[in-house]
């Protein structure tokens, strides 16, 4: 059977954050020979002509030398159109800047995570200050829920592209039951990473301030990417506020995330997952 091409989708709003996301996508695409589709969402057809001119200028500035690139302008709401485009184009990965997330006031949930919830593919969130460098180390969060390991498959694919080391970070647990649940998840991660010959290790932290522990570890290890599964349940630690904090980290490290249910069904067909 002929293998389908890898496709990356990059929503752009012509801001510096979108420029960073586009450059990041190109660096990833060059490693996997992927097609990049830049999309811009407008509110009405009256905006289309200007949007197409802006898109042309954006490509000339940021992606003129990447041949496997397409552009599209859609009318509608950003989450809906990105979700629909990702399904139609059979996108493997969405890469977007933080400005796309917060461009309409306090809408981190209504933009980024509506997108995560709508598509069965991972999302990489890139800050304006993020400068692409070789991804040598990926710090990935693991907890007691089995769904927390779902993102490991995508992290492993990126790790394989860049020969990265994956650092699994989890909390110390006082009860034997919780230690058992955590260790089962770590075993699943070990199996996936061993099968792909990805170097990896486990770091256990005290966990009183898990976010602070994660950022401290990222700084010590000079991490190049964070990875965490997103949960819709608001009682869970890995929900919107947790992911938002990771996405806006002061180290400007990109965040790889994916919704728990979507990650179970994603095929990563062309990326080798």
């Amino acid at each position: 059977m002929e293998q389908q091409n890898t496709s990356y989708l990059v929503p752009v709003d012509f801001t510096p954050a979108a420029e960073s996301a586009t450059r990041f996508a190109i660096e990833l695409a060059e490693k996997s020979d992927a097609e990049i589709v830049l999309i811009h969402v407008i509110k009405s057809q009256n905006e289309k002509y200007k949007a197409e001119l802006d898109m042309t200028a954006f490509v000339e500035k940021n992606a003129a030398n990447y041949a496997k690139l397409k552009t599209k302008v859609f009318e509608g709401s950003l989450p809906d159109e990105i979700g629909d485009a990702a399904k139609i184009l059979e996108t493997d990965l969405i890469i977007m800047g933080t400005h796309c997330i917060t461009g309409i006031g306090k809408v981190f949930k209504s933009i980024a995570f509506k997108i995560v919830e709508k598509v069965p593919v991972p999302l990489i969130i890139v800050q304006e200050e993020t400068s692409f460098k070789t991804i040598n180390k990926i710090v990935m969060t693991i907890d007691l829920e089995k769904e927390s390991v779902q993102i490991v498959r995508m992290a492993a694919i990126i790790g394989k592209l860049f020969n990265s080391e994956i650092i699994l970070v989890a909390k110390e647990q006082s009860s034997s039951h919780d230690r058992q649940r955590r260790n089962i998840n770590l075993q699943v991660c070990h199996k996936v990473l061993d099968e792909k010959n990805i170097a990896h290790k486990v770091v256990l932290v005290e966990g009183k301030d898990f976010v602070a522990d994660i950022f401290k570890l990222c700084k010590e290890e000079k991490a190049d990417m964070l990875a965490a599964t997103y949960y819709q349940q608001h009682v869970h630690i890995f929900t919107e506020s947790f992911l938002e904090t990771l996405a806006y980290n002061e180290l400007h490290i990109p965040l790889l995330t994916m919704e728990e249910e979507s990650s179970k069904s994603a095929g990563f067909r062309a990326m080798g997952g």
Side-chain angles (χ1 to χ4, degrees):
M1 182 181 293
E2 184 179 352
Q3 190 178 46
Q4 292 177 286
N5 292 329
T6 305
S7 175
Y8 298 161
L9 186 66
V10 184
V12 299
D13 57 359
F14 314 125
T15 62
E19 293 180 358
S20 294
T22 301
R23 289 192 294 269
F24 196 94
I26 290 171
E27 294 288 348
L28 284 180
E30 287 177 341
K31 281 284 187 178
S32 55
D33 193 32
E35 176 185 75
I36 296 175
V37 182
L38 304 180
I39 72 167
H40 179 71
V41 179
I42 57 176
K43 295 179 181 178
S44 70
Q45 285 297 309
N46 294 334
E47 302 173 1
K48 186 171 183 179
Y49 179 71
K50 183 179 184 303
E52 290 176 341
L53 291 178
D54 289 342
M55 180 69 85
T56 299
F58 184 89
V59 171
E60 288 177 353
K61 179 181 178 181
N62 299 285
N65 295 325
Y66 194 74
K68 298 181 68 174
L69 183 137
K70 295 179 180 178
T71 64
K72 294 184 180 295
V73 174
F74 292 98
E75 178 185 357
S77 71
L78 188 59
D80 289 339
E81 294 306 321
I82 291 175
D84 290 345
K87 293 172 185 176
I88 293 169
L89 299 170
E90 297 187 308
T91 297
D92 295 277
L93 179 65
I94 297 172
I95 303 166
M96 69 186 299
T98 49
H99 191 275
C100 288
I101 297 167
T102 58
I104 317 173
K106 191 176 179 181
V107 293
F108 193 84
K109 166 70 175 178
S110 64
I111 301 297
F113 292 118
K114 278 191 177 180
I115 294 169
V116 175
E117 292 165 7
K118 282 178 177 290
V119 295
V121 297
L123 174 71
I124 293 179
I125 300 172
V126 178
Q127 298 183 53
E128 177 182 337
E129 300 85 354
T130 300
S131 59
F132 186 90
K133 51 187 176 180
T134 298
I135 302 173
N136 292 316
K137 294 186 178 183
I138 301 172
V139 170
M140 177 181 151
T141 59
I142 295 295
D143 77 336
L144 303 182
E145 304 301 325
K146 64 181 183 298
E147 289 83 5
S148 70
V149 308
Q150 298 298 333
I151 198 69
V152 72
R153 297 188 184 279
M154 188 64 206
I157 292 168
I158 293 176
K160 192 72 173 177
L161 290 175
F162 292 91
N163 195 28
S164 313
E165 177 186 19
I166 294 182
I167 302 166
L168 305 169
V169 57
K171 291 182 182 181
E172 294 276 11
Q173 300 294 338
S174 57
S175 77
S176 59
H177 175 69
D178 287 346
R179 283 196 300 272
Q180 182 180 28
R181 291 175 63 193
R182 179 201 65 199
N183 291 341
I184 289 172
N185 288 343
L186 289 173
Q187 288 170 11
V188 172
C189 292
H190 285 312
K191 181 179 179 182
V192 171
L193 297 173
D194 283 341
E195 287 175 351
K196 292 187 174 293
N197 296 314
I198 303 292
H200 59 282
K201 66 181 180 181
V202 175
V203 175
L204 300 180
V205 298
E206 186 176 353
K208 289 182 179 179
D209 189 339
F210 192 40
V211 171
D213 289 337
I214 292 170
F215 291 154
K216 181 181 177 182
L217 177 64
C218 287
K219 190 172 183 178
E220 291 173 350
E221 293 285 351
K222 298 181 179 178
D224 305 295
M225 179 172 283
L226 277 161
T229 300
Y230 164 61
Y231 295 82
Q232 292 190 44
Q233 301 100 313
H234 293 285
V235 297
H236 201 282
I237 182 175
F238 290 8
T239 49
E240 176 190 347
S241 60
F242 175 77
L243 270 294
E244 180 177 8
T245 303
L246 294 188
Y248 282 91
N249 67 85
E250 294 182 355
L251 300 174
H252 309 307
I253 302 170
L255 171 67
L256 170 68
T257 190
M258 191 173 189
E259 194 267 336
E260 53 174 313
E261 291 299 323
S262 295
S263 59
K264 297 174 186 177
S265 60
F268 307 137
R269 45 188 210 305
M271 296 187 69

